[in-house]
Amino acid sequence: MRIIDQRALPEAEITRDLESAESVADAIRTLQVRGAPLIGIAAAMGLVAAMRDDRALARATFLGRLNQRATLLGAARPTAVNLRWALERMLTTAAATAGEGSNLWERLHVEATSIWEEDRAMCRRIGEYGLSILSDGANVLTHCNTGALATGGIGTALAPIYLAHEQGRRLHVYIDETRPLLQGSRLTAWELMHAGIACTLITDATAASLMRQAKVDTVLVGADRICANGDFANKIGTYGLAVLARHHGVPFYCAAPWSTVDASLAEGDLIPIEQRAPSEVTAMAGRPIAPDGAAALNPAFDVTPSRYVTAFITDRGIVQPPFRS
Ligand code: MRU
């Protein structure tokens, strides 16, 4: 499985070939591949790569190894439900396929490819539905990275932006740098600049002031998990944007494929929130930015209550909760 190591962007475009479940799990854990839809696709493809040398195994042994590897991959990151969704789909497919290891492997290869292709199509549909919320000349504020680097296609929250730009609408995007790992400045700015879309980087703390000055027309973000009642988890800082948007009367949209909906969870407090290493806060690019030994808290995601969301832009249309899977 070939990936772009997103840790190195925008400085360098490094590709890596991964062949084992351990290396794919490590790539997901360390954010070499990241973004909710993409980690689902990577896990599915990773299973195919990891099982390649086990094709000659008898059915029961093949299934046993497949389960072990799916468990390993599934534990790599806890918040984005797309990871579990893709792995469950792979396991269900294997169990429902007749024959020995080689048949199962071929079928898994087809399934992983479908997961990717379906995601690409879902991104496109999100983009098409989302076009209606972006008028010519709009100033859009986004957070983290929700584009081609986070999905199998043109992205979730960035998809309507790409399509509006393609249609000749003049948009301008404010990009939150997205502390602490800077997915906004490193990845979203890289993507939008490549696409020729007008954009301006801001520190996360600047959003409030821009909204007070009426410089933001719409906030558009992605999601890692959406509950039945519409509460959703997304990159830390999203909740703050939602509260600010409500205070300033700015519409706040969440864009996601249906694979991000987890209707088994009634509400946002039930979403597992990934806690990452304090060193991601106390150091930057390997250099300390806090006193040695400083305590730091580093939740990777927060939960935005559904009442702050103007609407959800999905591949099934612009919708409101409650959701069923
Ligand atoms: O920690 P990350 O970079 O994987 O977090 C990604 C996000 O929070 C995105 O907004 C979300 O996954 C939606 S991606 C289309």
Side-chain angles (χ1 to χ4, degrees), residues 60-230:
T61 326
F62 184 95
L63 284 174
R65 292 224 181 141
L66 183 71
N67 267 295
Q68 273 171 6
R69 288 171 175 158
T71 305
L72 176 80
L73 286 162
R77 295 194 77 190
T79 302
V81 75
N82 309 62
L83 179 61
R84 194 188 74 196
W85 171 86
L87 289 169
E88 276 173 6
R89 205 168 134 170
M90 294 292 279
L91 293 179
T92 309
T93 299
T97 304
E100 303 302 319
S102 59
N103 295 49
L104 302 191
W105 187 82
E106 295 293 342
R107 184 63 192 83
L108 287 173
H109 197 177
V110 170
E111 191 65 14
T113 307
S114 305
I115 288 173
W116 185 350
E117 280 167 2
E118 285 168 29
D119 188 66
R120 185 177 310 159
M122 287 194 283
C123 288
R124 186 99 209 158
R125 286 200 294 276
I126 292 169
E128 286 161 359
Y129 285 120
L131 273 173
S132 64
I133 65 142
L134 296 177
S135 49
D136 191 39
N139 279 292
V140 184
L141 191 149
T142 193
H143 192 63
C144 197
N145 173 263
T146 61
L149 287 166
T151 63
I154 56 170
T156 57
L158 291 194
I161 293 173
Y162 277 124
L163 293 192
H165 176 72
E166 238 173 66
Q167 292 191 351
R169 289 186 211 176
R170 286 157 305 158
L171 295 179
H172 170 258
V173 183
Y174 286 112
I175 306 170
D176 267 359
E177 63 173 352
T178 317
R179 277 281 287 152
L181 297 179
L182 308 180
Q183 288 93 330
S185 59
R186 291 188 306 103
L187 308 176
T188 302
W190 185 80
E191 274 197 35
L192 294 186
M193 287 171 74
H194 268 274
I197 297 172
C199 56
T200 305
L201 264 177
I202 56 170
T203 60
D204 298 351
T206 301
S209 172
L210 284 180
M211 287 196 216
R212 195 181 65 77
Q213 296 170 72
K215 288 188 172 162
V216 177
D217 299 308
T218 305
V219 178
L220 186 47
V221 297
D224 285 78
R225 194 185 296 230
I226 302 173
C227 298
N229 74 344

Side-chain angles (χ1 to χ4, degrees), residues 1-5 14-19 24 27 32-33 38 41-42 45-46 49 116:
M1 183 175 104
R2 179 162 297 170
I3 61 157
I4 295 179
D5 183 345
I14 297 174
T15 53
R16 287 187 199 288
D17 290 340
L18 309 176
E19 286 171 10
V24 176
Q32 296 176 49
V33 282
L38 187 65
I41 296 165
M45 287 288 173
W116 185 350

